[in-house]
Amino acid sequence: MENNALNEMDRVDSNLHVEMLAEQFLDRVMNDFKRSKILEEIDQSLKNKDFYV
């Protein structure tokens, strides 16, 4: 019975680790996407000379 409990804890720990990695991956993808969009807007503004001093 003790082995079953340890195996269950290992499985939960493994699932938690995978979940945390997935969340970090999604955060990184979203941040990269947002950064890319901001850089595109900056480039477009510079191209159009549409900026404020």
Side-chain angles (χ1 to χ4, degrees):
M1 184 163 173
E2 192 172 308
N3 274 344
N4 287 342
L6 290 175
N7 288 338
E8 186 67 26
M9 287 176 57
D10 287 343
R11 186 171 40 233
V12 168
D13 189 44
S14 178
N15 288 343
L16 183 59
H17 181 69
V18 169
E19 186 178 325
M20 289 173 60
L21 287 175
E23 187 173 342
Q24 288 175 347
F25 173 77
L26 290 174
D27 285 344
R28 178 63 186 261
V29 168
M30 289 300 298
N31 286 337
D32 288 350
F33 177 78
K34 290 175 185 177
R35 184 176 190 272
S36 174
K37 289 298 179 185
I38 289 170
L39 290 174
E40 285 178 17
E41 289 179 24
I42 290 171
D43 288 344
Q44 190 63 41
S45 292
L46 290 171
K47 184 178 177 182
N48 294 338
K49 297 181 181 176
D50 181 25
F51 49 88
Y52 301 96
V53 178

Short mmCIF file of all heavy atoms in Angstrom, two decimals:
data_model
loop_
_atom_site.label_atom_id
_atom_site.label_comp_id
_atom_site.label_asym_id
_atom_site.label_seq_id
_atom_site.Cartn_x
_atom_site.Cartn_y
_atom_site.Cartn_z
N MET A 1 0.83 -1.20 0.00
CA MET A 1 0.00 0.00 0.00
C MET A 1 0.87 1.26 0.00
O MET A 1 0.54 2.23 -0.65
CB MET A 1 -0.92 -0.02 1.21
CG MET A 1 -1.87 1.12 1.23
SD MET A 1 -3.20 0.74 2.38
CE MET A 1 -4.03 2.25 2.39
N GLU A 2 1.98 1.17 0.72
CA GLU A 2 2.88 2.33 0.76
C GLU A 2 3.46 2.60 -0.61
O GLU A 2 3.61 3.76 -1.01
CB GLU A 2 3.99 2.08 1.78
CG GLU A 2 4.80 3.33 2.10
CD GLU A 2 5.76 3.09 3.25
OE1 GLU A 2 5.30 2.61 4.29
OE2 GLU A 2 6.94 3.36 3.05
N ASN A 3 3.76 1.55 -1.37
CA ASN A 3 4.28 1.72 -2.73
C ASN A 3 3.25 2.40 -3.62
O ASN A 3 3.60 3.23 -4.46
CB ASN A 3 4.69 0.38 -3.34
CG ASN A 3 6.10 0.00 -2.99
OD1 ASN A 3 6.88 0.83 -2.53
ND2 ASN A 3 6.42 -1.28 -3.19
N ASN A 4 1.99 2.05 -3.47
CA ASN A 4 0.94 2.68 -4.27
C ASN A 4 0.87 4.17 -3.99
O ASN A 4 0.72 4.98 -4.91
CB ASN A 4 -0.42 2.04 -3.98
CG ASN A 4 -0.53 0.66 -4.59
OD1 ASN A 4 0.23 0.30 -5.48
ND2 ASN A 4 -1.48 -0.12 -4.10
N ALA A 5 1.00 4.54 -2.73
CA ALA A 5 0.95 5.95 -2.36
C ALA A 5 2.15 6.69 -2.94
O ALA A 5 2.03 7.81 -3.45
CB ALA A 5 0.91 6.11 -0.85
N LEU A 6 3.33 6.08 -2.88
CA LEU A 6 4.53 6.71 -3.43
C LEU A 6 4.44 6.83 -4.95
O LEU A 6 4.82 7.86 -5.52
CB LEU A 6 5.78 5.90 -3.04
CG LEU A 6 6.17 5.96 -1.58
CD1 LEU A 6 7.35 5.04 -1.31
CD2 LEU A 6 6.52 7.39 -1.17
N ASN A 7 3.93 5.78 -5.60
CA ASN A 7 3.76 5.84 -7.05
C ASN A 7 2.78 6.95 -7.43
O ASN A 7 2.98 7.66 -8.42
CB ASN A 7 3.27 4.50 -7.60
CG ASN A 7 4.36 3.45 -7.58
OD1 ASN A 7 5.55 3.76 -7.54
ND2 ASN A 7 3.96 2.19 -7.60
N GLU A 8 1.71 7.06 -6.68
CA GLU A 8 0.72 8.11 -6.94
C GLU A 8 1.34 9.49 -6.77
O GLU A 8 1.11 10.40 -7.56
CB GLU A 8 -0.49 7.94 -6.02
CG GLU A 8 -1.62 8.90 -6.30
CD GLU A 8 -2.30 8.66 -7.62
OE1 GLU A 8 -2.27 7.52 -8.12
OE2 GLU A 8 -2.86 9.62 -8.19
N MET A 9 2.15 9.67 -5.74
CA MET A 9 2.82 10.96 -5.50
C MET A 9 3.79 11.27 -6.63
O MET A 9 3.88 12.41 -7.09
CB MET A 9 3.55 10.94 -4.15
CG MET A 9 2.61 11.02 -2.97
SD MET A 9 3.46 10.87 -1.38
CE MET A 9 4.62 12.20 -1.45
N ASP A 10 4.52 10.26 -7.11
CA ASP A 10 5.43 10.46 -8.23
C ASP A 10 4.68 10.89 -9.48
O ASP A 10 5.11 11.76 -10.22
CB ASP A 10 6.23 9.19 -8.52
CG ASP A 10 7.31 8.92 -7.48
OD1 ASP A 10 7.66 9.85 -6.72
OD2 ASP A 10 7.80 7.78 -7.44
N ARG A 11 3.52 10.26 -9.70
CA ARG A 11 2.71 10.58 -10.88
C ARG A 11 2.17 12.01 -10.78
O ARG A 11 2.21 12.77 -11.74
CB ARG A 11 1.58 9.58 -11.04
CG ARG A 11 0.80 9.78 -12.32
CD ARG A 11 -0.19 8.68 -12.63
NE ARG A 11 -0.89 8.18 -11.48
CZ ARG A 11 -0.95 6.89 -11.16
NH1 ARG A 11 -0.34 5.98 -11.88
NH2 ARG A 11 -1.64 6.51 -10.09
N VAL A 12 1.71 12.41 -9.60
CA VAL A 12 1.21 13.77 -9.40
C VAL A 12 2.34 14.77 -9.59
O VAL A 12 2.18 15.79 -10.26
CB VAL A 12 0.57 13.92 -8.00
CG1 VAL A 12 0.31 15.37 -7.67
CG2 VAL A 12 -0.72 13.11 -7.93
N ASP A 13 3.51 14.45 -9.02
CA ASP A 13 4.67 15.34 -9.15
C ASP A 13 5.07 15.47 -10.62
O ASP A 13 5.36 16.56 -11.09
CB ASP A 13 5.84 14.79 -8.33
CG ASP A 13 7.00 15.76 -8.25
OD1 ASP A 13 6.74 16.96 -8.04
OD2 ASP A 13 8.15 15.30 -8.41
N SER A 14 5.06 14.36 -11.34
CA SER A 14 5.39 14.38 -12.77
C SER A 14 4.37 15.20 -13.55
O SER A 14 4.74 16.00 -14.41
CB SER A 14 5.44 12.95 -13.30
OG SER A 14 5.72 12.95 -14.68
N ASN A 15 3.08 15.01 -13.25
CA ASN A 15 2.04 15.77 -13.94
C ASN A 15 2.17 17.26 -13.65
O ASN A 15 1.99 18.09 -14.54
CB ASN A 15 0.65 15.28 -13.53
CG ASN A 15 0.32 13.93 -14.11
OD1 ASN A 15 0.94 13.47 -15.06
ND2 ASN A 15 -0.67 13.28 -13.53
N LEU A 16 2.48 17.60 -12.43
CA LEU A 16 2.65 18.99 -12.05
C LEU A 16 3.83 19.60 -12.79
O LEU A 16 3.75 20.73 -13.28
CB LEU A 16 2.86 19.12 -10.53
CG LEU A 16 2.99 20.52 -9.97
CD1 LEU A 16 1.75 21.35 -10.28
CD2 LEU A 16 3.24 20.46 -8.47
N HIS A 17 4.90 18.84 -12.91
CA HIS A 17 6.08 19.32 -13.63
C HIS A 17 5.73 19.58 -15.10
O HIS A 17 6.10 20.63 -15.66
CB HIS A 17 7.21 18.29 -13.52
CG HIS A 17 8.46 18.69 -14.19
ND1 HIS A 17 9.24 19.73 -13.74
CD2 HIS A 17 9.08 18.21 -15.29
CE1 HIS A 17 10.29 19.86 -14.52
NE2 HIS A 17 10.21 18.95 -15.48
N VAL A 18 5.03 18.65 -15.72
CA VAL A 18 4.63 18.81 -17.13
C VAL A 18 3.71 20.01 -17.27
O VAL A 18 3.86 20.81 -18.21
CB VAL A 18 3.96 17.52 -17.65
CG1 VAL A 18 3.30 17.76 -19.00
CG2 VAL A 18 4.97 16.39 -17.73
N GLU A 19 2.80 20.19 -16.34
CA GLU A 19 1.88 21.32 -16.39
C GLU A 19 2.64 22.65 -16.27
O GLU A 19 2.36 23.61 -16.99
CB GLU A 19 0.86 21.20 -15.26
CG GLU A 19 -0.22 22.26 -15.30
CD GLU A 19 -1.24 22.06 -14.19
OE1 GLU A 19 -1.54 20.90 -13.85
OE2 GLU A 19 -1.74 23.09 -13.70
N MET A 20 3.61 22.69 -15.37
CA MET A 20 4.41 23.90 -15.20
C MET A 20 5.23 24.21 -16.45
O MET A 20 5.32 25.37 -16.88
CB MET A 20 5.32 23.76 -13.98
CG MET A 20 4.58 23.80 -12.67
SD MET A 20 5.60 23.44 -11.24
CE MET A 20 6.81 24.73 -11.32
N LEU A 21 5.80 23.18 -17.07
CA LEU A 21 6.55 23.39 -18.31
C LEU A 21 5.64 23.90 -19.43
O LEU A 21 6.03 24.80 -20.18
CB LEU A 21 7.23 22.09 -18.74
CG LEU A 21 8.43 21.66 -17.92
CD1 LEU A 21 8.93 20.29 -18.39
CD2 LEU A 21 9.55 22.68 -18.01
N ALA A 22 4.45 23.34 -19.52
CA ALA A 22 3.50 23.78 -20.54
C ALA A 22 3.11 25.24 -20.32
O ALA A 22 3.03 26.02 -21.27
CB ALA A 22 2.26 22.89 -20.53
N GLU A 23 2.89 25.61 -19.07
CA GLU A 23 2.53 26.99 -18.76
C GLU A 23 3.68 27.95 -19.09
O GLU A 23 3.46 29.01 -19.67
CB GLU A 23 2.17 27.11 -17.29
CG GLU A 23 1.61 28.47 -16.92
CD GLU A 23 1.09 28.52 -15.49
OE1 GLU A 23 0.84 27.46 -14.90
OE2 GLU A 23 0.92 29.65 -15.01
N GLN A 24 4.91 27.55 -18.77
CA GLN A 24 6.06 28.38 -19.11
C GLN A 24 6.20 28.53 -20.62
O GLN A 24 6.50 29.61 -21.12
CB GLN A 24 7.35 27.78 -18.54
CG GLN A 24 7.47 27.90 -17.04
CD GLN A 24 8.70 27.19 -16.51
OE1 GLN A 24 9.34 26.41 -17.21
NE2 GLN A 24 9.02 27.48 -15.27
N PHE A 25 5.97 27.43 -21.34
CA PHE A 25 6.05 27.47 -22.80
C PHE A 25 5.01 28.43 -23.37
O PHE A 25 5.33 29.28 -24.23
CB PHE A 25 5.85 26.06 -23.37
CG PHE A 25 5.75 26.04 -24.87
CD1 PHE A 25 6.88 26.16 -25.65
CD2 PHE A 25 4.52 25.89 -25.49
CE1 PHE A 25 6.79 26.14 -27.03
CE2 PHE A 25 4.41 25.88 -26.86
CZ PHE A 25 5.56 26.00 -27.64
N LEU A 26 3.77 28.32 -22.91
CA LEU A 26 2.71 29.20 -23.40
C LEU A 26 2.98 30.66 -23.06
O LEU A 26 2.75 31.55 -23.89
CB LEU A 26 1.35 28.77 -22.85
CG LEU A 26 0.81 27.45 -23.40
CD1 LEU A 26 -0.46 27.05 -22.67
CD2 LEU A 26 0.56 27.56 -24.89
N ASP A 27 3.48 30.92 -21.86
CA ASP A 27 3.84 32.28 -21.48
C ASP A 27 4.90 32.84 -22.42
O ASP A 27 4.83 33.98 -22.87
CB ASP A 27 4.35 32.35 -20.04
CG ASP A 27 3.25 32.22 -19.01
OD1 ASP A 27 2.07 32.38 -19.37
OD2 ASP A 27 3.59 31.97 -17.83
N ARG A 28 5.89 32.02 -22.73
CA ARG A 28 6.98 32.46 -23.61
C ARG A 28 6.46 32.74 -25.01
O ARG A 28 6.80 33.76 -25.63
CB ARG A 28 8.07 31.38 -23.65
CG ARG A 28 9.23 31.70 -24.55
CD ARG A 28 9.98 32.95 -24.08
NE ARG A 28 10.99 33.37 -24.98
CZ ARG A 28 12.27 33.09 -24.83
NH1 ARG A 28 12.69 32.41 -23.80
NH2 ARG A 28 13.14 33.50 -25.72
N VAL A 29 5.61 31.86 -25.52
CA VAL A 29 5.04 32.04 -26.86
C VAL A 29 4.22 33.32 -26.91
O VAL A 29 4.32 34.11 -27.86
CB VAL A 29 4.20 30.80 -27.27
CG1 VAL A 29 3.38 31.09 -28.51
CG2 VAL A 29 5.11 29.60 -27.49
N MET A 30 3.39 33.54 -25.89
CA MET A 30 2.56 34.75 -25.86
C MET A 30 3.43 36.01 -25.77
O MET A 30 3.17 37.00 -26.47
CB MET A 30 1.59 34.72 -24.68
CG MET A 30 0.47 33.71 -24.84
SD MET A 30 -0.56 34.01 -26.29
CE MET A 30 -1.22 35.62 -25.90
N ASN A 31 4.45 35.99 -24.94
CA ASN A 31 5.34 37.14 -24.82
C ASN A 31 6.08 37.41 -26.12
O ASN A 31 6.22 38.57 -26.54
CB ASN A 31 6.34 36.95 -23.68
CG ASN A 31 5.69 37.11 -22.32
OD1 ASN A 31 4.66 37.75 -22.18
ND2 ASN A 31 6.29 36.50 -21.31
N ASP A 32 6.54 36.36 -26.77
CA ASP A 32 7.21 36.52 -28.07
C ASP A 32 6.26 37.11 -29.11
O ASP A 32 6.64 37.97 -29.90
CB ASP A 32 7.77 35.19 -28.57
CG ASP A 32 8.99 34.72 -27.77
OD1 ASP A 32 9.52 35.51 -26.96
OD2 ASP A 32 9.40 33.57 -27.98
N PHE A 33 5.01 36.63 -29.11
CA PHE A 33 4.02 37.13 -30.05
C PHE A 33 3.73 38.61 -29.80
O PHE A 33 3.73 39.42 -30.74
CB PHE A 33 2.73 36.31 -29.93
CG PHE A 33 1.63 36.80 -30.81
CD1 PHE A 33 1.63 36.50 -32.17
CD2 PHE A 33 0.59 37.56 -30.30
CE1 PHE A 33 0.62 36.97 -33.00
CE2 PHE A 33 -0.43 38.03 -31.12
CZ PHE A 33 -0.41 37.73 -32.46
N LYS A 34 3.52 38.97 -28.54
CA LYS A 34 3.25 40.37 -28.19
C LYS A 34 4.43 41.26 -28.57
O LYS A 34 4.24 42.34 -29.12
CB LYS A 34 2.95 40.51 -26.71
CG LYS A 34 1.62 39.92 -26.30
CD LYS A 34 1.43 39.98 -24.79
CE LYS A 34 0.17 39.30 -24.35
NZ LYS A 34 0.03 39.29 -22.89
N ARG A 35 5.64 40.79 -28.29
CA ARG A 35 6.84 41.56 -28.63
C ARG A 35 6.94 41.76 -30.14
O ARG A 35 7.24 42.85 -30.62
CB ARG A 35 8.08 40.83 -28.12
CG ARG A 35 9.36 41.60 -28.34
CD ARG A 35 10.53 40.84 -27.71
NE ARG A 35 11.73 41.63 -27.70
CZ ARG A 35 12.60 41.67 -28.71
NH1 ARG A 35 12.39 40.95 -29.78
NH2 ARG A 35 13.67 42.44 -28.63
N SER A 36 6.65 40.71 -30.88
CA SER A 36 6.69 40.78 -32.34
C SER A 36 5.69 41.81 -32.86
O SER A 36 6.01 42.61 -33.75
CB SER A 36 6.38 39.41 -32.93
OG SER A 36 6.26 39.47 -34.31
N LYS A 37 4.48 41.81 -32.30
CA LYS A 37 3.45 42.76 -32.73
C LYS A 37 3.86 44.20 -32.40
O LYS A 37 3.66 45.11 -33.20
CB LYS A 37 2.09 42.44 -32.10
CG LYS A 37 1.46 41.21 -32.66
CD LYS A 37 1.20 41.40 -34.14
CE LYS A 37 0.58 40.19 -34.76
NZ LYS A 37 0.44 40.34 -36.22
N ILE A 38 4.43 44.40 -31.23
CA ILE A 38 4.88 45.74 -30.84
C ILE A 38 5.98 46.22 -31.78
O ILE A 38 5.97 47.37 -32.23
CB ILE A 38 5.36 45.75 -29.37
CG1 ILE A 38 4.15 45.59 -28.44
CG2 ILE A 38 6.14 47.03 -29.05
CD1 ILE A 38 4.52 45.33 -26.99
N LEU A 39 6.93 45.34 -32.09
CA LEU A 39 8.01 45.72 -33.01
C LEU A 39 7.47 46.04 -34.40
O LEU A 39 7.95 46.96 -35.06
CB LEU A 39 9.06 44.62 -33.06
CG LEU A 39 9.90 44.46 -31.80
CD1 LEU A 39 10.81 43.24 -31.91
CD2 LEU A 39 10.70 45.70 -31.49
N GLU A 40 6.47 45.29 -34.85
CA GLU A 40 5.83 45.58 -36.14
C GLU A 40 5.19 46.97 -36.12
O GLU A 40 5.30 47.73 -37.09
CB GLU A 40 4.78 44.53 -36.48
CG GLU A 40 5.33 43.21 -36.93
CD GLU A 40 4.23 42.20 -37.19
OE1 GLU A 40 3.05 42.59 -37.34
OE2 GLU A 40 4.55 41.00 -37.24
N GLU A 41 4.51 47.29 -35.02
CA GLU A 41 3.87 48.60 -34.90
C GLU A 41 4.91 49.72 -34.88
O GLU A 41 4.71 50.78 -35.48
CB GLU A 41 3.00 48.66 -33.65
CG GLU A 41 1.75 47.81 -33.76
CD GLU A 41 0.90 47.87 -32.49
OE1 GLU A 41 1.01 48.86 -31.75
OE2 GLU A 41 0.13 46.93 -32.26
N ILE A 42 6.01 49.49 -34.21
CA ILE A 42 7.09 50.49 -34.17
C ILE A 42 7.65 50.69 -35.58
O ILE A 42 7.83 51.83 -36.04
CB ILE A 42 8.21 50.05 -33.20
CG1 ILE A 42 7.70 50.15 -31.76
CG2 ILE A 42 9.47 50.90 -33.40
CD1 ILE A 42 8.64 49.54 -30.75
N ASP A 43 7.92 49.58 -36.27
CA ASP A 43 8.44 49.69 -37.64
C ASP A 43 7.47 50.44 -38.55
O ASP A 43 7.89 51.29 -39.35
CB ASP A 43 8.71 48.29 -38.22
CG ASP A 43 9.92 47.62 -37.61
OD1 ASP A 43 10.74 48.33 -36.96
OD2 ASP A 43 10.05 46.39 -37.77
N GLN A 44 6.19 50.14 -38.42
CA GLN A 44 5.19 50.81 -39.25
C GLN A 44 5.12 52.30 -38.92
O GLN A 44 5.03 53.13 -39.82
CB GLN A 44 3.81 50.15 -39.06
CG GLN A 44 2.77 50.63 -40.04
CD GLN A 44 3.12 50.28 -41.47
OE1 GLN A 44 3.61 49.19 -41.76
NE2 GLN A 44 2.88 51.20 -42.37
N SER A 45 5.18 52.64 -37.65
CA SER A 45 5.16 54.05 -37.26
C SER A 45 6.38 54.79 -37.80
O SER A 45 6.26 55.92 -38.27
CB SER A 45 5.13 54.17 -35.73
OG SER A 45 3.91 53.72 -35.23
N LEU A 46 7.53 54.16 -37.71
CA LEU A 46 8.74 54.79 -38.24
C LEU A 46 8.65 54.95 -39.76
O LEU A 46 9.06 55.98 -40.31
CB LEU A 46 9.97 53.98 -37.86
CG LEU A 46 10.34 54.01 -36.38
CD1 LEU A 46 11.44 53.00 -36.10
CD2 LEU A 46 10.74 55.40 -35.93
N LYS A 47 8.13 53.93 -40.41
CA LYS A 47 7.98 53.98 -41.86
C LYS A 47 7.04 55.11 -42.27
O LYS A 47 7.29 55.82 -43.24
CB LYS A 47 7.43 52.63 -42.36
CG LYS A 47 7.31 52.51 -43.84
CD LYS A 47 6.82 51.13 -44.20
CE LYS A 47 6.61 50.97 -45.68
NZ LYS A 47 6.09 49.65 -46.03
N ASN A 48 5.97 55.30 -41.50
CA ASN A 48 4.99 56.34 -41.80
C ASN A 48 5.36 57.70 -41.18
O ASN A 48 4.62 58.67 -41.36
CB ASN A 48 3.59 55.94 -41.27
CG ASN A 48 3.05 54.74 -41.98
OD1 ASN A 48 3.44 54.41 -43.10
ND2 ASN A 48 2.14 54.04 -41.31
N LYS A 49 6.48 57.72 -40.49
CA LYS A 49 6.90 58.91 -39.76
C LYS A 49 5.77 59.40 -38.85
O LYS A 49 5.50 60.58 -38.72
CB LYS A 49 7.35 60.01 -40.71
CG LYS A 49 8.56 59.62 -41.52
CD LYS A 49 9.01 60.69 -42.44
CE LYS A 49 10.22 60.18 -43.22
NZ LYS A 49 10.67 61.11 -44.21
N ASP A 50 5.14 58.43 -38.23
CA ASP A 50 3.99 58.69 -37.37
C ASP A 50 4.41 58.50 -35.92
O ASP A 50 4.11 57.50 -35.29
CB ASP A 50 2.87 57.70 -37.73
CG ASP A 50 1.62 57.91 -36.90
OD1 ASP A 50 1.40 59.02 -36.43
OD2 ASP A 50 0.87 56.91 -36.77
N PHE A 51 5.15 59.48 -35.42
CA PHE A 51 5.58 59.39 -34.02
C PHE A 51 5.60 60.79 -33.42
O PHE A 51 5.56 61.78 -34.11
CB PHE A 51 6.99 58.75 -33.93
CG PHE A 51 8.00 59.34 -34.87
CD1 PHE A 51 8.76 60.43 -34.51
CD2 PHE A 51 8.20 58.78 -36.12
CE1 PHE A 51 9.70 60.98 -35.38
CE2 PHE A 51 9.14 59.31 -37.00
CZ PHE A 51 9.88 60.42 -36.62
N TYR A 52 5.62 60.80 -32.13
CA TYR A 52 5.58 62.07 -31.39
C TYR A 52 6.92 62.28 -30.71
O TYR A 52 7.51 61.38 -30.18
CB TYR A 52 4.47 62.05 -30.34
CG TYR A 52 3.10 61.83 -30.96
CD1 TYR A 52 2.55 60.56 -31.02
CD2 TYR A 52 2.40 62.89 -31.49
CE1 TYR A 52 1.31 60.34 -31.59
CE2 TYR A 52 1.15 62.69 -32.06
CZ TYR A 52 0.62 61.43 -32.11
OH TYR A 52 -0.60 61.23 -32.67
N VAL A 53 7.33 63.52 -30.70
CA VAL A 53 8.60 63.86 -30.04
C VAL A 53 8.32 64.53 -28.73
O VAL A 53 7.41 65.26 -28.54
CB VAL A 53 9.44 64.80 -30.95
CG1 VAL A 53 10.72 65.19 -30.26
CG2 VAL A 53 9.69 64.12 -32.28
#
